[in-house]
Amino acid sequence: MKKQLSWKVGGQQGEGIESTGEIFSIALNRMGYYLYGYRHFSSRIKGGHTNNKIRVSTSQVRSVSDELDVLVAFDQETIDVNFYELNQNGIVIADEKFQPTIPEGSSVTLYVVPFTKIAKDLGNALMKNMVAVGASSAILELNPESFREVVESIFGRKGESVVENNMEAIRQGAQYVQDQADDSMSTMQLEEADGKKRMYMIGNDAIALGFLAGGCRFMSAYPITPASEIMEYMIKKLPEFGGTVIQTEDEMAAATMAIGANYAGVRTITASAGPGLSLMMESIGLAGMTETPLVIVDTQRGGPSTGLPTKQEQSDLMAMIYGTHGEIPKVVMAPSTVQEAFHDAVEALNIADEYQCPVILLSDLQLSLGKQTVEPLNQRSISIRRGKIKESKALPVLEKGETFKRYETTEDGVSPRVLPGTKNGIFHVTGVEHNEVGKPSELSQNRQAQMDKRMRKLKHLPKTFNLPVYKDTPHELADVLLVGFNSTRGTIEETKQLLEKDGYKVNHAQIRLIHPFPTDEMLPLISSANKVLVIEHNATGQLASILRMNVGHAHKMASVLKYDGTPFKPGEMYKECKGLI
Amino acid sequence: MQGVDLMATFKDFRNKVKPNWCPGCGDFSVQASIQKAAANIGLEPEGVALISGIGCSGRISGYIHSYGFHGIHGRALPLAQGVKMANKDLTVIASGGDGDGFAIGMGHTIHAIRRNMNITYIVMDNQIYGLTKGQTSPRSEMGFVTKSTPEGSIESSVNVIEMALSSGATFVAQSFSSDLKDLTSIIEQGIQHDGFSFINVFSPCVTYNKINTYEWFKENLVKLKDIDGYDPSSREEAMRTLMNYDGLVSGLIYQNKEQKSYQQLIHGYKEDSLVTSDLNMNDDHFEKLISEFM
């Protein structure tokens, strides 16, 4: 009996590989298993190898595994490309149609199943995906009937006969494997799951859900991988709240439209990836200068330029912290799990309103698109905080032609704002340096006062921010401190366990507030470690640079970097870390 | 007068800021016309949001007593559309120059026209870049000599009215700074039009454009009301007339009253302004959303 295994399905893009993985994983999720899926795909619609690797476990998993137990292949390329990952006792289930072969002398078991033929005999070649699901269920000794609920939810509206046909495809796939079975099968049996109901979702879903729960009622955005799912979810759901999404002509319009709507009082977001963020830099500066709330999601992908649109990377860090000309107050948040992504989306809206500045909610492709099991989210802990908004009744009557002091210098740097339409609240906004009533001013004294006012707003944010650093730091004195941000959380957790098995005292810090930097939180952790390994998906060690700049201790630090487009796996991260300790 | 609510007059749309435009600049008339038009149709200063771009003309949002937002070069329209989406009760006016709207912001102009939100876009068109001290604009005529085109411009001028019509505009008008009465009337009609109102105003730059002067426009501009039987509901007639007069016409060129504005077509859009939304989600709704992922 296994506590976990990895299953992968592969074939040509556009062949329905996604639906095979989807049906298989939704069913397992409903049985109470924890799943973590990662899709390998290309920036094209049809053709090209694609695969979906799903880790199934009886406890929470947040990373792609190094190894593979079961490979479902719709073409020979899938076997050739992925065979190296398979365990010695691994299993390949392949369509008879392409006369599959595996390397000679291998200990891997090959099941040749007529996916396409069974599907065609049942009247629809597309059902080959169902036959593959059935074959997989037999390998895992799951009852084909356990897929009925999922099949009904997908095909129910097409009628009972379609549901039955698909169920029959699953049954025949399972039967075919059972008829061929030999002793190697028993090793693939999973321990029974707890049967609890949990969510199965991608990070982008959680971010979008967080925005809805946080009171976002409008989104302006331009489609881009890997951010589009946020927009797609909002398009589906915002009308239920009276809101809507505008697909703009470009990212400059997306960001400025969001500024306009936030200025007018509606919580509005936009979401994009690196290329879009490059175009939004002028808007980020405008939001900073005009002290307008603005939340932007950056789902990092491989850069620079068009780069690797469908691959994992974390190389936007510096651009997000420093991007836009001049200096503005800006917040950069980096959730490291799907649950955090949900709650941080709400907090991003709150912080933007409270501090009246741009907030970047940083994600990465692995967090945004990795589909995984999540304990049911709840909104009990959610609060909506809008900061200093003044209503008409709180405003004194304005003398003729006078305007409200929108940019009044205050101790905390945040000035009360009023929403357009409010009587006695008229004020002017400009991206030009301005005085307290928002009129352009180039006077040195005013410049200094306004600049200081803006820049002191975020001084105390690291102290009030909810969990600026996620810490798993049991050791007062550690041999090594592992530091990361965003989706590397799960892989670092497993690396920590592997290193601890070797006898090392390992602490782990996942930085969740990137800017302003939580120096007070990080300094003691770094001081109490002999070695600091900074793990990130980029070539230049951007997080390590930020750490050195804010906390020093450069001599202790080393970088563990990966920028080949694929996510770190625990085994490879462990090996690299061990080599550096 | 306490306790008595009087309708705002154009003086209520004045603030205490002295414009930094050159004496004689056409933009003064645009400022005055917006103030007059707003008062004439019964708007209150706090009910108006004037969103402007960058350039001499972009400063206009600071010279009118209303909510005002002086944004980024070329992006007045996306800003203005965002404001309107959030609060449809506001009268939203976007404005800027020809560089703002037809060079750096041309993409936004076309898409704002297509989108047809109920906002009014007033372009102060002086065929030159003023604030950067006299370079060519997309509205400069072929051969126009400027600092950036010392041998004369070798690019053709963009015919913005034809562009607006072919982009699906539902309200297209053109006016001239020295005809305050016509300009005010056009702006009133634009604000009252339920959809995107595109108003191009010839607003001479007295400092850098020595060709397209007040006198030049007076000589070359044809008033549509002087054309017998001109029908502004016909897009075809509008196009033909524009081609006949090389775009040098003034008045209401085209209006489509049938086409619904963007806000009226949004699926599920809140009846009250979006800004009045309750931001909390009720638990049942939240649970329903959660269950969809199980």
Side-chain angles (χ1 to χ4, degrees):
Chain A
M1 296 277 258
K2 290 168 85 81
K3 284 189 191 307
Q4 62 164 291
L5 61 79
S6 268
W7 176 92
K8 184 186 259 189
V9 56
Q12 290 292 300
Q13 211 152 286
E15 262 197 319
I17 304 305
E18 288 78 16
S19 62
T20 312
E22 195 71 0
I23 290 162
F24 178 73
S25 50
I26 291 175
L28 284 161
N29 186 66
R30 287 186 182 171
M31 290 172 205
Y33 289 104
Y34 289 86
L35 309 178
Y36 186 92
Y38 188 80
R39 274 172 62 214
H40 166 96
F41 64 112
S42 304
S43 194
R44 58 195 276 186
I45 304 303
K46 293 265 179 194
H49 174 68
T50 182
N51 67 60
N52 191 355
K53 187 174 180 181
I54 295 164
R55 198 170 174 189
V56 187
S57 171
T58 49
S59 59
Q60 179 94 58
V61 276
R62 287 202 189 94
S63 66
V64 184
S65 63
D66 293 80
E67 297 175 326
L68 184 62
D69 297 293
V70 182
L71 176 64
V72 178
F74 282 94
D75 58 9
Q76 186 62 39
E77 189 184 358
T78 298
I79 299 175
D80 297 343
V81 170
N82 300 289
F83 195 81
Y84 77 96
E85 280 189 319
L86 278 161
N87 286 326
Q88 282 190 333
N89 304 322
I91 290 172
V92 175
I93 316 169
D95 194 351
E96 181 190 54
K97 188 181 158 193
F98 64 89
Q99 295 168 335
T101 56
I102 59 171
E104 256 176 68
S106 154
S107 60
V108 166
T109 309
L110 172 67
Y111 285 90
V112 180
V113 181
F115 295 160
T116 310
K117 185 174 180 298
I118 291 175
K120 273 190 181 159
D121 289 347
L122 287 168
N124 187 347
L126 285 175
M127 288 194 302
K128 65 184 178 184
N129 297 302
M130 292 301 175
V131 180
V133 167
S136 300
S137 77
I139 299 286
L140 269 59
E141 294 190 25
L142 302 169
N143 183 347
E145 278 304 305
S146 49
F147 290 88
R148 178 172 289 279
E149 204 185 305
V150 183
V151 171
E152 274 175 356
S153 66
I154 296 171
F155 299 106
R157 62 192 163 84
K158 291 187 180 171
E160 186 54 30
S161 68
V162 177
V163 171
E164 270 320 309
N165 234 3
N166 278 281
M167 283 307 297
E168 183 56 27
I170 292 176
R171 276 193 292 270
Q172 288 195 20
Q175 193 58 52
Y176 197 92
V177 165
Q178 275 160 10
D179 292 346
Q180 282 192 27
D182 60 37
D183 289 346
S184 73
M185 274 187 64
S186 60
T187 62
M188 289 300 159
Q189 204 183 350
L190 275 165
E191 272 183 22
E192 206 172 325
D194 62 11
K196 279 192 183 148
K197 270 198 144 188
R198 295 185 187 89
M199 301 173 80
Y200 182 55
M201 68 200 306
I202 59 173
N204 280 349
D205 293 330
I207 291 170
L209 199 54
F211 285 139
L212 285 179
C216 167
R217 294 295 176 263
F218 178 45
M219 175 178 189
S220 44
Y222 189 82
I224 192 169
T225 304
S228 293
E229 293 79 10
I230 299 172
M231 178 183 178
E232 286 159 12
Y233 189 75
M234 298 299 261
I235 288 169
K236 261 191 274 171
K237 298 298 174 188
L238 267 174
E240 293 177 18
F241 301 89
T244 191
V245 174
I246 292 187
Q247 180 181 325
T248 54
E249 54 273 25
D250 55 39
E251 288 91 345
M252 295 176 288
T256 33
M257 203 178 278
I259 291 174
N262 273 300
Y263 154 77
V266 170
R267 286 192 157 182
T268 303
I269 57 123
T270 187
S272 191
L277 264 293
S278 290
L279 290 177
M280 291 179 186
M281 285 300 161
E282 61 171 12
S283 304
I284 291 170
L286 180 72
M289 186 57 150
T290 60
E291 306 194 42
T292 311
L294 175 65
V295 175
I296 303 178
V297 184
D298 175 25
T299 56
Q300 298 173 93
R301 66 184 212 187
S305 188
T306 308
L308 293 169
T310 61
K311 302 286 181 269
Q312 163 70 358
E313 202 164 281
Q314 301 178 317
S315 54
D316 294 351
L317 199 61
M318 289 292 190
M320 291 309 104
I321 297 172
Y322 298 110
T324 202
H325 56 278
E327 296 160 305
I328 56 164
K330 189 205 286 170
V331 179
V332 182
M333 302 164 62
S336 64
T337 65
V338 171
Q339 282 94 338
E340 286 181 8
F342 168 75
H343 290 285
D344 285 358
V346 180
E347 273 312 287
L349 292 166
N350 284 334
I351 290 169
D353 258 349
E354 289 182 305
Y355 294 92
Q356 302 174 2
C357 71
V359 176
I360 311 281
L361 185 64
L362 195 62
S363 177
D364 58 27
L365 186 135
Q366 194 184 348
L367 177 61
S368 275
L369 298 187
K371 198 157 184 177
Q372 53 196 289
T373 301
V374 178
E375 298 295 343
L377 299 168
N378 73 72
Q379 61 164 4
R380 280 190 297 276
S381 56
I382 289 177
S383 64
I384 290 179
R385 309 186 305 274
R386 300 223 59 187
K388 299 180 186 175
I389 297 182
K390 278 202 170 180
E391 288 179 15
S392 186
K393 52 182 186 284
L395 297 167
V397 175
L398 281 181
E399 292 298 316
K400 221 175 178 58
E402 292 291 338
T403 49
F404 172 72
K405 271 194 185 176
R406 168 69 183 93
Y407 301 105
E408 189 173 13
T409 44
T410 55
E411 208 183 315
D412 63 3
V414 181
S415 321
R417 68 174 179 133
V418 293
L419 306 182
T422 309
K423 201 165 171 65
N424 292 315
I426 283 180
F427 64 91
H428 187 245
V429 177
T430 174
V432 176
E433 186 56 276
H434 42 266
N435 59 21
E436 285 189 308
V437 296
K439 297 294 178 195
S441 168
E442 293 179 345
L443 294 174
S444 306
Q445 219 180 348
N446 176 74
R447 160 67 173 183
Q448 184 127 6
Q450 285 294 321
M451 197 71 192
D452 289 346
K453 168 191 129 55
R454 288 191 294 269
M455 298 315 289
R456 71 173 166 261
K457 288 200 285 194
L458 296 175
K459 207 172 134 194
H460 301 296
L461 183 69
K463 283 201 180 66
T464 56
F465 189 86
N466 178 35
L467 201 69
V469 180
Y470 162 80
K471 286 183 255 183
D472 177 13
T473 52
H475 307 290
E476 235 170 87
L477 285 171
D479 297 319
V480 61
L481 170 69
L482 304 177
V483 185
F485 72 107
N486 277 147
S487 69
T488 51
R489 161 91 168 259
T491 317
I492 295 178
E493 281 169 351
E494 289 187 42
T495 301
K496 179 175 185 285
Q497 285 171 11
L498 292 170
L499 289 168
E500 279 169 344
K501 271 191 199 152
D502 292 344
Y504 294 109
K505 287 181 187 161
V506 187
N507 281 341
H508 170 199
Q510 200 78 4
I511 302 178
R512 293 174 17 84
L513 177 64
I514 305 279
H515 189 80
F517 193 80
T519 305
D520 293 347
E521 292 270 330
M522 286 306 294
L523 191 55
L525 297 181
I526 287 173
S527 303
S528 61
N530 278 329
K531 186 96 200 169
V532 178
L533 297 181
V534 189
I535 299 160
E536 49 192 317
H537 279 288
N538 58 57
T540 54
Q542 297 184 28
L543 183 65
S545 298
I546 305 286
L547 266 171
R548 283 195 292 267
M549 200 165 77
N550 286 285
V551 298
H553 291 279
H555 62 285
K556 287 185 184 176
M557 288 184 200
S559 282
V560 178
L561 306 173
K562 194 172 194 214
Y563 43 93
D564 65 356
T566 65
F568 273 116
K569 291 169 186 167
E572 67 179 358
M573 187 186 280
Y574 158 74
K575 263 183 229 149
E576 275 209 48
C577 289
K578 194 164 179 186
L580 288 165
I581 299 174
Chain B
M1 300 294 271
Q2 219 174 0
V4 184
D5 263 344
L6 290 178
M7 287 250 291
T9 71
F10 75 94
K11 286 182 181 167
D12 293 310
F13 289 90
R14 284 183 182 164
N15 62 18
K16 294 176 173 171
V17 184
K18 191 175 166 290
N20 62 3
W21 296 321
C22 305
C25 176
D27 295 352
F28 284 103
S29 302
V30 178
Q31 176 198 13
S33 298
I34 292 174
Q35 290 165 329
K36 283 203 163 108
N40 287 351
I41 57 178
L43 302 178
E44 295 294 329
E46 65 268 15
V48 176
L50 180 52
I51 316 298
S52 62
I54 299 296
C56 292
S57 56
R59 287 296 183 105
I60 196 164
S61 61
Y63 302 152
I64 287 175
H65 189 61
S66 71
Y67 282 93
F69 199 131
H70 178 223
I72 313 176
H73 195 27
R75 321 271 175 253
L77 283 172
L79 267 174
Q81 291 169 88
V83 174
K84 190 70 184 181
M85 285 305 296
N87 189 344
K88 61 184 174 186
D89 295 335
L90 289 171
T91 297
V92 178
I93 301 171
S95 66
D98 43 317
D100 207 73
F102 309 135
I104 190 165
M106 184 58 126
H108 305 308
T109 303
I110 289 175
H111 293 283
I113 290 170
R114 284 178 56 224
R115 217 167 268 134
N116 197 37
M117 273 189 207
N118 185 11
I119 61 181
T120 304
Y121 182 38
I122 302 169
V123 182
M124 285 158 263
D125 179 3
N126 59 9
Q127 302 85 35
I128 196 146
Y129 279 55
L131 197 59
T132 49
K133 299 188 179 359
Q135 296 84 9
T136 188
S137 124
R139 292 283 287 152
S140 304
E141 284 301 322
M142 193 82 121
F144 193 66
V145 175
T146 68
K147 259 187 202 160
S148 58
T149 52
E151 308 299 325
S153 171
I154 52 171
E155 297 173 11
S156 60
S157 153
V158 57
N159 193 326
V160 292
I161 305 290
E162 286 175 27
M163 177 278 295
L165 283 172
S166 62
S167 305
T170 58
F171 182 102
V172 182
Q174 189 158 256
S175 192
F176 174 36
S177 274
S178 73
D179 191 349
L180 208 62
K181 208 173 140 194
D182 178 72
L183 180 54
T184 305
S185 157
I186 288 288
I187 293 174
E188 283 172 30
Q189 291 174 62
I191 292 173
Q192 286 169 325
H193 173 72
D194 185 13
F196 189 86
S197 312
F198 177 73
I199 302 172
N200 194 58
V201 184
F202 291 117
S203 179
C205 174
V206 293
T207 305
Y208 293 108
N209 191 338
K210 305 297 183 190
I211 306 287
N212 311 104
T213 59
Y214 286 98
E215 291 68 32
W216 188 89
F217 282 111
K218 276 175 191 159
E219 256 169 53
N220 291 286
L221 211 52
V222 175
K223 290 183 179 174
L224 288 173
K225 59 182 175 210
D226 294 342
I227 299 175
D228 225 14
Y230 182 78
D231 175 13
S233 70
S234 162
R235 193 156 164 249
E236 191 193 338
E237 188 170 345
M239 274 293 192
R240 210 173 335 108
T241 310
L242 286 166
M243 286 179 174
N244 269 346
Y245 297 99
D246 201 18
L248 289 167
V249 297
S250 69
L252 175 61
I253 297 163
Y254 177 71
Q255 185 172 16
N256 174 350
K257 295 180 180 172
E258 310 301 315
Q259 174 69 38
K260 284 185 174 153
S261 69
Y262 189 85
Q263 262 81 10
Q264 291 187 45
L265 293 170
I266 301 170
H267 161 68
Y269 195 46
K270 198 171 166 4
E271 215 158 291
D272 302 329
S273 268
L274 208 47
V275 69
T276 63
S277 298
D278 177 7
L279 302 194
N280 295 291
M281 197 189 303
N282 74 47
D283 288 342
D284 291 347
H285 204 159
F286 186 76
E287 289 311 318
K288 183 185 153 273
L289 295 182
I290 294 296
S291 70
E292 288 170 357
F293 291 102
M294 286 179 168

